[in-house]
Amino acid sequence: MEKQSHLLLWKAVFVLIIIGLGFGIYAGSKSIDYTWRWERIPQYIINTEATTVRAPFDGTATIEKGNRLVVTSDYGDDPLVIKKFDNLLVGHGDLVFEGDPLVEVENWNIGPLTWGLVMTLQLSVVSLVFAVVIGLFAGLARISSNPALRYLSITYIELIRGTPLLVQIFIFYFFIGTVLDLDRFTAGVAALSVFTGAYIAEIVRSGIQSISPGQMEAARSLGMNYVQAMVNVILPQAFKRTLPPMAGQFINLIKDSSLVSVISITDLTKAGREVVSSTFAPFEVWFAVALMYLVLTGALSWAIQRLEKRLSASD
Amino acid sequence: MTNRTDKSIIQARNIEKIYPNGCHALKKVSLDINRGEVVVIIGPSGSGKSTFLRTLNQLETISDGTIHIDEVSLTDRKTNINKVREEVGMVFQSFNLFPHKTALGNVALSPIKVKKKPRAVAEQEGRELLKKVGLAERMNNYPSHLSGGQQQRVAIARALAMHPKIMLFDEPTSALDPEMVGEVLDVMKSLARDGMTMVVVTHEMGFAREVADRVVFMEDGELVFEESPERFFSSDNPRLQRFLGQVL
């Protein structure tokens, strides 16, 4: 009983602190006379404004049965047929001239923030795949008995971990990108995957080394060669053990992808900056951007937790 | 060459093992083992008996000497060691079951991956082997849900799944609780009755007395003494006497 009420008390303390923080943000914005304009944000995520279709030539509008608008040209162009629309702006038999509004179509346009989110997602997923491949091979090379492989791997890991990602992105884009004629996206993906690969290599190495040597001996004693033993026995176990640090690294990758905005890739962060300059609502935009990153990273960590749970069947 | 085909399936001659740190683990160890023979190796810890056993499937490389398994030289660079290891099963003190596979998965893995048997065939054979070691009810359990004795029996079935000609046992009962030692020894006894060639490193003197065709005593990296069990346990070799006085 005693214990129970204490737990409740501390949960209440937590809620109070969160409310306090929220109030702090509100009071802070009050003190600098900031006017919140949240209503400006949604259109940059999904734009529901109707688009107007205009006449491409002079002609006559006819409304056929089945609610089809057909505009026949005065000069023999192919007739324009519009099958779906929401608001009709011309009547049957009206003469229309080039540029006249004909109909309004209500459609959902994806706003720049969403495009940024999609770009961030693309960057992250592609980089993640390459980073895992690079990391796996670098990690295996790191524990190889072949000195050439081992030293190469150590050099790679130390070089990449010892320099800032921002500098690497510039090097990849301005130097390697120029030499190999890479576009922005490729250069960005290359920089991100090479950077993350170095960290994954260390995670892979520690994962493999955490598996008891007896496992390799047992696999080899059954006639498996090194590769078979790695693939069937060691790596599946190491994979499970390295999931938590891997999840952290993947989340870092999503967040680090914001740095490629410096080479003019319109990811979520760059989109945010652009939207700020057209809305003059920096607080709202950056909060919205932060929330969108949180959705990505939250979904990822949820998925990995699910995977961990599924793999724990053999525990 | 031909005169030994029926006899020695293992020929170890003048095995030397010196570790890079200078430790001299095996000194001129020679041992021939015949087909169908059960040889038990005993000796104090650090005597090199496990090291010697592990040289027989090259989990431990040797510094000098020669080993022939079924007339195939292990020291020959052209020998495919993986092929030899298919013929030589090994059971470890710490079981070394694959924790991410069920009992059946452990037994079927190598036949599927190494011998390229179809999964259905490998699993059918695996089920029969597990039945043979008394684990018909436990096939779909993960190792973490099995007792030590059960795990070791799965490990024996896993080694047998490759249809080896020789089985090596490296202190198979040393990590077990006393009440589980019997079940593992029973499986080993029935294996010996079926005519399997076995090399067993153990501290189970009862097993040595009952099952062994020959008992070997090692100390300080040397093979001191080898005899049939009757003569072995009644021997008055002073080094053996000292050891037996400590363990019995």
Short mmCIF file of all heavy atoms in Angstrom, two decimals, chain A residues 127-143 147-165 168 172 176 189-205 249 253:
data_model
loop_
_atom_site.label_atom_id
_atom_site.label_comp_id
_atom_site.label_asym_id
_atom_site.label_seq_id
_atom_site.Cartn_x
_atom_site.Cartn_y
_atom_site.Cartn_z
N SER A 127 20.63 5.45 -47.08
CA SER A 127 21.90 5.48 -46.35
C SER A 127 21.99 4.33 -45.36
O SER A 127 23.05 3.76 -45.17
CB SER A 127 22.04 6.79 -45.57
OG SER A 127 21.81 7.88 -46.40
N LEU A 128 20.85 4.02 -44.74
CA LEU A 128 20.84 2.97 -43.73
C LEU A 128 21.24 1.62 -44.35
O LEU A 128 22.07 0.89 -43.80
CB LEU A 128 19.46 2.86 -43.11
CG LEU A 128 19.31 1.98 -41.90
CD1 LEU A 128 18.41 2.66 -40.90
CD2 LEU A 128 18.74 0.64 -42.26
N VAL A 129 20.68 1.34 -45.53
CA VAL A 129 21.00 0.07 -46.18
C VAL A 129 22.50 0.01 -46.47
O VAL A 129 23.18 -0.97 -46.13
CB VAL A 129 20.18 -0.09 -47.48
CG1 VAL A 129 20.68 -1.28 -48.28
CG2 VAL A 129 18.71 -0.22 -47.16
N PHE A 130 23.02 1.09 -47.08
CA PHE A 130 24.46 1.08 -47.41
C PHE A 130 25.30 1.05 -46.13
O PHE A 130 26.32 0.37 -46.07
CB PHE A 130 24.81 2.30 -48.26
CG PHE A 130 24.40 2.13 -49.69
CD1 PHE A 130 23.39 2.91 -50.23
CD2 PHE A 130 25.02 1.19 -50.51
CE1 PHE A 130 22.99 2.76 -51.56
CE2 PHE A 130 24.63 1.02 -51.82
CZ PHE A 130 23.61 1.80 -52.35
N ALA A 131 24.86 1.80 -45.11
CA ALA A 131 25.64 1.86 -43.87
C ALA A 131 25.74 0.48 -43.23
O ALA A 131 26.80 0.09 -42.73
CB ALA A 131 25.01 2.86 -42.89
N VAL A 132 24.64 -0.27 -43.26
CA VAL A 132 24.66 -1.60 -42.66
C VAL A 132 25.61 -2.51 -43.42
O VAL A 132 26.41 -3.25 -42.83
CB VAL A 132 23.24 -2.21 -42.61
CG1 VAL A 132 23.29 -3.68 -42.28
CG2 VAL A 132 22.38 -1.47 -41.60
N VAL A 133 25.57 -2.42 -44.76
CA VAL A 133 26.47 -3.26 -45.57
C VAL A 133 27.93 -2.88 -45.29
O VAL A 133 28.78 -3.73 -44.99
CB VAL A 133 26.14 -3.11 -47.07
CG1 VAL A 133 27.17 -3.85 -47.91
CG2 VAL A 133 24.74 -3.64 -47.35
N ILE A 134 28.21 -1.57 -45.35
CA ILE A 134 29.59 -1.11 -45.09
C ILE A 134 30.01 -1.51 -43.68
O ILE A 134 31.10 -2.05 -43.47
CB ILE A 134 29.68 0.43 -45.22
CG1 ILE A 134 29.41 0.86 -46.67
CG2 ILE A 134 31.05 0.94 -44.76
CD1 ILE A 134 29.32 2.36 -46.85
N GLY A 135 29.13 -1.28 -42.71
CA GLY A 135 29.45 -1.56 -41.32
C GLY A 135 29.71 -3.04 -41.09
O GLY A 135 30.62 -3.41 -40.36
N LEU A 136 28.90 -3.89 -41.74
CA LEU A 136 29.06 -5.34 -41.57
C LEU A 136 30.44 -5.77 -42.07
O LEU A 136 31.18 -6.47 -41.36
CB LEU A 136 27.96 -6.07 -42.33
CG LEU A 136 27.95 -7.58 -42.22
CD1 LEU A 136 27.75 -7.99 -40.76
CD2 LEU A 136 26.84 -8.18 -43.07
N PHE A 137 30.80 -5.31 -43.28
CA PHE A 137 32.08 -5.74 -43.83
C PHE A 137 33.25 -5.12 -43.07
O PHE A 137 34.24 -5.80 -42.79
CB PHE A 137 32.15 -5.45 -45.33
CG PHE A 137 31.36 -6.45 -46.13
CD1 PHE A 137 30.13 -6.13 -46.66
CD2 PHE A 137 31.83 -7.74 -46.31
CE1 PHE A 137 29.37 -7.06 -47.36
CE2 PHE A 137 31.09 -8.69 -47.00
CZ PHE A 137 29.86 -8.34 -47.53
N ALA A 138 33.11 -3.84 -42.70
CA ALA A 138 34.19 -3.20 -41.95
C ALA A 138 34.34 -3.87 -40.58
O ALA A 138 35.46 -4.05 -40.10
CB ALA A 138 33.92 -1.71 -41.79
N GLY A 139 33.21 -4.24 -39.98
CA GLY A 139 33.27 -4.90 -38.67
C GLY A 139 33.94 -6.26 -38.77
O GLY A 139 34.75 -6.63 -37.92
N LEU A 140 33.61 -7.01 -39.83
CA LEU A 140 34.23 -8.32 -40.02
C LEU A 140 35.72 -8.16 -40.32
O LEU A 140 36.55 -8.92 -39.83
CB LEU A 140 33.55 -9.08 -41.15
CG LEU A 140 32.15 -9.64 -40.83
CD1 LEU A 140 31.47 -10.16 -42.08
CD2 LEU A 140 32.26 -10.73 -39.79
N ALA A 141 36.05 -7.14 -41.13
CA ALA A 141 37.46 -6.89 -41.46
C ALA A 141 38.24 -6.51 -40.20
O ALA A 141 39.39 -6.87 -40.03
CB ALA A 141 37.58 -5.79 -42.51
N ARG A 142 37.55 -5.79 -39.30
CA ARG A 142 38.17 -5.30 -38.08
C ARG A 142 38.67 -6.46 -37.21
O ARG A 142 39.68 -6.34 -36.52
CB ARG A 142 37.14 -4.48 -37.31
CG ARG A 142 37.52 -3.94 -35.98
CD ARG A 142 38.45 -2.76 -36.11
NE ARG A 142 38.79 -2.23 -34.80
CZ ARG A 142 39.58 -2.86 -33.94
NH1 ARG A 142 40.12 -4.00 -34.27
NH2 ARG A 142 39.85 -2.32 -32.76
N ILE A 143 37.96 -7.61 -37.24
CA ILE A 143 38.39 -8.75 -36.41
C ILE A 143 39.07 -9.82 -37.26
O ILE A 143 39.31 -10.92 -36.79
CB ILE A 143 37.20 -9.38 -35.64
CG1 ILE A 143 36.07 -9.69 -36.60
CG2 ILE A 143 36.74 -8.49 -34.53
CD1 ILE A 143 34.95 -10.50 -35.96
N PRO A 147 46.17 -8.86 -41.64
CA PRO A 147 46.53 -7.50 -41.20
C PRO A 147 46.08 -6.41 -42.18
O PRO A 147 45.68 -5.33 -41.75
CB PRO A 147 48.06 -7.55 -41.11
CG PRO A 147 48.40 -8.98 -41.03
CD PRO A 147 47.34 -9.73 -41.76
N ALA A 148 46.14 -6.68 -43.48
CA ALA A 148 45.75 -5.65 -44.45
C ALA A 148 44.30 -5.24 -44.22
O ALA A 148 43.97 -4.06 -44.12
CB ALA A 148 45.93 -6.18 -45.87
N LEU A 149 43.42 -6.24 -44.11
CA LEU A 149 42.01 -5.96 -43.88
C LEU A 149 41.81 -5.23 -42.55
O LEU A 149 41.08 -4.26 -42.45
CB LEU A 149 41.21 -7.26 -43.85
CG LEU A 149 40.91 -7.92 -45.19
CD1 LEU A 149 40.23 -9.26 -44.98
CD2 LEU A 149 40.01 -7.01 -46.01
N ARG A 150 42.53 -5.74 -41.53
CA ARG A 150 42.32 -5.19 -40.19
C ARG A 150 42.75 -3.73 -40.13
O ARG A 150 42.01 -2.88 -39.65
CB ARG A 150 43.09 -6.04 -39.18
CG ARG A 150 42.64 -5.82 -37.74
CD ARG A 150 43.21 -6.87 -36.81
NE ARG A 150 44.66 -6.85 -36.74
CZ ARG A 150 45.42 -7.87 -37.09
NH1 ARG A 150 44.88 -8.97 -37.55
NH2 ARG A 150 46.74 -7.78 -37.01
N TYR A 151 43.96 -3.44 -40.65
CA TYR A 151 44.45 -2.06 -40.58
C TYR A 151 43.58 -1.13 -41.43
O TYR A 151 43.32 0.02 -41.05
CB TYR A 151 45.91 -1.98 -41.01
CG TYR A 151 46.85 -2.71 -40.04
CD1 TYR A 151 48.00 -3.34 -40.49
CD2 TYR A 151 46.55 -2.74 -38.68
CE1 TYR A 151 48.83 -4.01 -39.61
CE2 TYR A 151 47.38 -3.41 -37.79
CZ TYR A 151 48.52 -4.04 -38.27
OH TYR A 151 49.34 -4.70 -37.38
N LEU A 152 43.14 -1.62 -42.60
CA LEU A 152 42.26 -0.79 -43.44
C LEU A 152 41.00 -0.42 -42.67
O LEU A 152 40.58 0.74 -42.66
CB LEU A 152 41.85 -1.57 -44.69
CG LEU A 152 42.75 -1.43 -45.91
CD1 LEU A 152 42.25 -2.33 -47.02
CD2 LEU A 152 42.78 0.03 -46.37
N SER A 153 40.43 -1.42 -42.00
CA SER A 153 39.20 -1.18 -41.27
C SER A 153 39.43 -0.20 -40.12
O SER A 153 38.64 0.72 -39.90
CB SER A 153 38.66 -2.51 -40.75
OG SER A 153 37.57 -2.28 -39.93
N ILE A 154 40.56 -0.39 -39.39
CA ILE A 154 40.83 0.51 -38.26
C ILE A 154 41.02 1.93 -38.77
O ILE A 154 40.49 2.89 -38.21
CB ILE A 154 42.09 0.02 -37.49
CG1 ILE A 154 41.78 -1.31 -36.80
CG2 ILE A 154 42.52 1.06 -36.46
CD1 ILE A 154 42.97 -1.96 -36.13
N THR A 155 41.77 2.06 -39.89
CA THR A 155 42.00 3.40 -40.45
C THR A 155 40.68 4.06 -40.81
O THR A 155 40.43 5.22 -40.48
CB THR A 155 42.88 3.28 -41.71
OG1 THR A 155 44.02 2.50 -41.39
CG2 THR A 155 43.30 4.65 -42.20
N TYR A 156 39.84 3.30 -41.49
CA TYR A 156 38.53 3.82 -41.89
C TYR A 156 37.73 4.29 -40.68
O TYR A 156 37.25 5.43 -40.64
CB TYR A 156 37.78 2.74 -42.67
CG TYR A 156 36.27 2.91 -42.72
CD1 TYR A 156 35.69 3.97 -43.40
CD2 TYR A 156 35.42 1.98 -42.10
CE1 TYR A 156 34.31 4.12 -43.45
CE2 TYR A 156 34.05 2.12 -42.15
CZ TYR A 156 33.51 3.19 -42.82
OH TYR A 156 32.15 3.33 -42.86
N ILE A 157 37.65 3.42 -39.68
CA ILE A 157 36.82 3.74 -38.50
C ILE A 157 37.37 4.97 -37.79
O ILE A 157 36.62 5.91 -37.47
CB ILE A 157 36.76 2.53 -37.54
CG1 ILE A 157 35.96 1.40 -38.20
CG2 ILE A 157 36.11 2.92 -36.23
CD1 ILE A 157 36.06 0.07 -37.47
N GLU A 158 38.69 5.01 -37.58
CA GLU A 158 39.26 6.13 -36.83
C GLU A 158 39.13 7.44 -37.61
O GLU A 158 38.86 8.49 -37.05
CB GLU A 158 40.72 5.85 -36.48
CG GLU A 158 40.91 4.71 -35.49
CD GLU A 158 40.10 4.90 -34.20
OE1 GLU A 158 39.95 6.05 -33.75
OE2 GLU A 158 39.59 3.89 -33.68
N LEU A 159 39.35 7.35 -38.92
CA LEU A 159 39.28 8.54 -39.76
C LEU A 159 37.88 9.14 -39.73
O LEU A 159 37.70 10.35 -39.57
CB LEU A 159 39.62 8.14 -41.20
CG LEU A 159 40.39 9.13 -42.05
CD1 LEU A 159 41.72 9.45 -41.39
CD2 LEU A 159 40.62 8.54 -43.44
N ILE A 160 36.88 8.28 -39.86
CA ILE A 160 35.51 8.77 -39.95
C ILE A 160 35.00 9.23 -38.59
O ILE A 160 34.34 10.25 -38.48
CB ILE A 160 34.60 7.65 -40.51
CG1 ILE A 160 35.00 7.31 -41.95
CG2 ILE A 160 33.14 8.05 -40.44
CD1 ILE A 160 34.85 8.44 -42.92
N ARG A 161 35.35 8.47 -37.55
CA ARG A 161 34.83 8.86 -36.23
C ARG A 161 35.54 10.09 -35.69
O ARG A 161 35.01 10.78 -34.83
CB ARG A 161 34.99 7.70 -35.24
CG ARG A 161 34.07 6.55 -35.56
CD ARG A 161 33.82 5.70 -34.37
NE ARG A 161 35.06 5.29 -33.71
CZ ARG A 161 35.10 4.51 -32.66
NH1 ARG A 161 33.98 4.04 -32.15
NH2 ARG A 161 36.25 4.16 -32.12
N GLY A 162 36.75 10.34 -36.23
CA GLY A 162 37.52 11.46 -35.70
C GLY A 162 37.26 12.78 -36.39
O GLY A 162 37.84 13.80 -36.02
N THR A 163 36.43 12.79 -37.43
CA THR A 163 36.17 14.06 -38.13
C THR A 163 34.67 14.34 -38.11
O THR A 163 33.86 13.42 -38.10
CB THR A 163 36.65 13.98 -39.59
OG1 THR A 163 36.12 12.81 -40.19
CG2 THR A 163 38.16 13.94 -39.67
N PRO A 164 34.30 15.63 -38.13
CA PRO A 164 32.87 15.97 -38.04
C PRO A 164 32.12 15.58 -39.32
O PRO A 164 32.67 15.68 -40.41
CB PRO A 164 32.86 17.49 -37.87
CG PRO A 164 34.26 17.90 -37.65
CD PRO A 164 35.14 16.83 -38.17
N LEU A 165 30.90 15.16 -39.15
CA LEU A 165 30.06 14.77 -40.29
C LEU A 165 29.89 15.93 -41.27
O LEU A 165 29.93 15.74 -42.48
CB LEU A 165 28.70 14.29 -39.79
CG LEU A 165 27.66 13.94 -40.87
CD1 LEU A 165 28.19 12.90 -41.83
CD2 LEU A 165 26.37 13.46 -40.23
N GLN A 168 32.75 16.07 -43.45
CA GLN A 168 32.72 14.95 -44.40
C GLN A 168 31.74 15.21 -45.53
O GLN A 168 32.00 14.87 -46.68
CB GLN A 168 32.34 13.66 -43.67
CG GLN A 168 33.43 13.15 -42.76
CD GLN A 168 32.91 12.05 -41.86
OE1 GLN A 168 31.95 11.37 -42.17
NE2 GLN A 168 33.56 11.87 -40.72
N PHE A 172 32.69 15.15 -49.35
CA PHE A 172 32.02 14.26 -50.29
C PHE A 172 31.40 15.03 -51.45
O PHE A 172 31.45 14.60 -52.59
CB PHE A 172 30.93 13.43 -49.57
CG PHE A 172 31.41 12.08 -49.17
CD1 PHE A 172 31.94 11.87 -47.91
CD2 PHE A 172 31.34 11.02 -50.06
CE1 PHE A 172 32.40 10.62 -47.54
CE2 PHE A 172 31.80 9.77 -49.69
CZ PHE A 172 32.34 9.57 -48.43
N ILE A 176 34.96 14.76 -53.62
CA ILE A 176 34.66 13.47 -54.27
C ILE A 176 33.53 13.64 -55.28
O ILE A 176 33.57 13.08 -56.37
CB ILE A 176 34.31 12.42 -53.20
CG1 ILE A 176 35.49 12.25 -52.25
CG2 ILE A 176 33.95 11.08 -53.85
CD1 ILE A 176 35.24 11.35 -51.07
N VAL A 189 23.98 10.77 -49.61
CA VAL A 189 23.83 9.37 -49.17
C VAL A 189 25.19 8.77 -48.89
O VAL A 189 25.40 8.09 -47.87
CB VAL A 189 23.08 8.54 -50.23
CG1 VAL A 189 23.28 7.06 -49.98
CG2 VAL A 189 21.60 8.89 -50.22
N ALA A 190 26.17 9.04 -49.77
CA ALA A 190 27.51 8.48 -49.58
C ALA A 190 28.09 8.96 -48.26
O ALA A 190 28.60 8.15 -47.46
CB ALA A 190 28.41 8.87 -50.74
N ALA A 191 28.00 10.26 -48.00
CA ALA A 191 28.57 10.80 -46.76
C ALA A 191 27.89 10.18 -45.55
O ALA A 191 28.56 9.73 -44.61
CB ALA A 191 28.43 12.32 -46.73
N LEU A 192 26.57 10.12 -45.58
CA LEU A 192 25.83 9.58 -44.43
C LEU A 192 26.14 8.11 -44.21
O LEU A 192 26.31 7.66 -43.07
CB LEU A 192 24.32 9.77 -44.62
CG LEU A 192 23.77 11.16 -44.36
CD1 LEU A 192 22.30 11.23 -44.75
CD2 LEU A 192 23.94 11.54 -42.91
N SER A 193 26.19 7.33 -45.32
CA SER A 193 26.40 5.89 -45.10
C SER A 193 27.83 5.59 -44.68
O SER A 193 28.04 4.72 -43.84
CB SER A 193 25.99 5.03 -46.30
OG SER A 193 25.89 5.76 -47.45
N VAL A 194 28.79 6.31 -45.23
CA VAL A 194 30.17 6.08 -44.82
C VAL A 194 30.35 6.47 -43.35
O VAL A 194 31.01 5.78 -42.58
CB VAL A 194 31.14 6.87 -45.73
CG1 VAL A 194 32.52 6.93 -45.12
CG2 VAL A 194 31.19 6.21 -47.10
N PHE A 195 29.72 7.57 -42.96
CA PHE A 195 29.82 8.03 -41.57
C PHE A 195 29.18 7.02 -40.62
O PHE A 195 29.79 6.55 -39.66
CB PHE A 195 29.11 9.39 -41.44
CG PHE A 195 29.09 9.93 -40.03
CD1 PHE A 195 30.21 10.52 -39.48
CD2 PHE A 195 27.92 9.86 -39.27
CE1 PHE A 195 30.19 11.02 -38.19
CE2 PHE A 195 27.90 10.36 -37.98
CZ PHE A 195 29.03 10.94 -37.44
N THR A 196 27.93 6.65 -40.92
CA THR A 196 27.23 5.73 -40.03
C THR A 196 27.86 4.34 -40.05
O THR A 196 27.89 3.65 -39.03
CB THR A 196 25.75 5.65 -40.43
OG1 THR A 196 25.24 6.97 -40.51
CG2 THR A 196 24.93 4.87 -39.42
N GLY A 197 28.38 3.94 -41.23
CA GLY A 197 29.02 2.63 -41.36
C GLY A 197 30.14 2.44 -40.36
O GLY A 197 30.33 1.35 -39.82
N ALA A 198 30.89 3.50 -40.10
CA ALA A 198 32.02 3.38 -39.17
C ALA A 198 31.53 3.04 -37.77
O ALA A 198 32.14 2.23 -37.07
CB ALA A 198 32.81 4.69 -39.14
N TYR A 199 30.42 3.66 -37.38
CA TYR A 199 29.88 3.36 -36.05
C TYR A 199 29.28 1.96 -36.01
O TYR A 199 29.42 1.23 -35.03
CB TYR A 199 28.84 4.41 -35.65
CG TYR A 199 29.46 5.73 -35.31
CD1 TYR A 199 29.72 6.67 -36.30
CD2 TYR A 199 29.84 6.01 -34.01
CE1 TYR A 199 30.32 7.88 -36.00
CE2 TYR A 199 30.44 7.23 -33.69
CZ TYR A 199 30.67 8.15 -34.68
OH TYR A 199 31.29 9.33 -34.38
N ILE A 200 28.59 1.59 -37.12
CA ILE A 200 27.99 0.26 -37.16
C ILE A 200 29.08 -0.81 -37.13
O ILE A 200 28.93 -1.86 -36.50
CB ILE A 200 27.08 0.12 -38.40
CG1 ILE A 200 25.85 1.01 -38.21
CG2 ILE A 200 26.66 -1.33 -38.62
CD1 ILE A 200 24.84 0.93 -39.31
N ALA A 201 30.23 -0.52 -37.79
CA ALA A 201 31.33 -1.48 -37.78
C ALA A 201 31.74 -1.82 -36.35
O ALA A 201 31.94 -2.99 -36.01
CB ALA A 201 32.52 -0.92 -38.56
N GLU A 202 31.84 -0.80 -35.51
CA GLU A 202 32.23 -1.04 -34.12
C GLU A 202 31.15 -1.82 -33.37
O GLU A 202 31.45 -2.67 -32.54
CB GLU A 202 32.51 0.28 -33.40
CG GLU A 202 33.85 0.88 -33.76
CD GLU A 202 35.01 0.04 -33.23
OE1 GLU A 202 35.42 0.23 -32.09
OE2 GLU A 202 35.51 -0.82 -33.98
N ILE A 203 29.88 -1.53 -33.70
CA ILE A 203 28.79 -2.27 -33.05
C ILE A 203 28.84 -3.73 -33.48
O ILE A 203 28.70 -4.64 -32.66
CB ILE A 203 27.43 -1.64 -33.41
CG1 ILE A 203 27.32 -0.22 -32.84
CG2 ILE A 203 26.28 -2.50 -32.89
CD1 ILE A 203 26.07 0.51 -33.24
N VAL A 204 29.07 -3.95 -34.78
CA VAL A 204 29.15 -5.32 -35.30
C VAL A 204 30.31 -6.06 -34.64
O VAL A 204 30.17 -7.19 -34.18
CB VAL A 204 29.32 -5.31 -36.84
CG1 VAL A 204 29.71 -6.69 -37.35
CG2 VAL A 204 28.05 -4.84 -37.51
N ARG A 205 31.47 -5.37 -34.57
CA ARG A 205 32.64 -6.01 -33.96
C ARG A 205 32.34 -6.42 -32.52
O ARG A 205 32.56 -7.56 -32.13
CB ARG A 205 33.83 -5.06 -33.97
CG ARG A 205 35.06 -5.61 -33.28
CD ARG A 205 36.16 -4.58 -33.18
NE ARG A 205 35.81 -3.48 -32.31
CZ ARG A 205 35.95 -3.50 -30.98
NH1 ARG A 205 36.43 -4.57 -30.40
NH2 ARG A 205 35.59 -2.47 -30.26
N GLN A 249 21.88 3.94 -33.34
CA GLN A 249 22.63 4.43 -34.49
C GLN A 249 21.71 4.82 -35.64
O GLN A 249 21.93 5.80 -36.33
CB GLN A 249 23.62 3.33 -34.93
CG GLN A 249 24.81 3.85 -35.68
CD GLN A 249 25.51 4.95 -34.93
OE1 GLN A 249 25.89 4.80 -33.77
NE2 GLN A 249 25.66 6.10 -35.55
N LEU A 253 21.19 8.38 -37.43
CA LEU A 253 21.29 8.58 -38.87
C LEU A 253 20.16 9.48 -39.36
O LEU A 253 20.39 10.42 -40.14
CB LEU A 253 21.25 7.22 -39.58
CG LEU A 253 21.14 7.26 -41.10
CD1 LEU A 253 22.33 7.96 -41.71
CD2 LEU A 253 21.02 5.86 -41.66
#
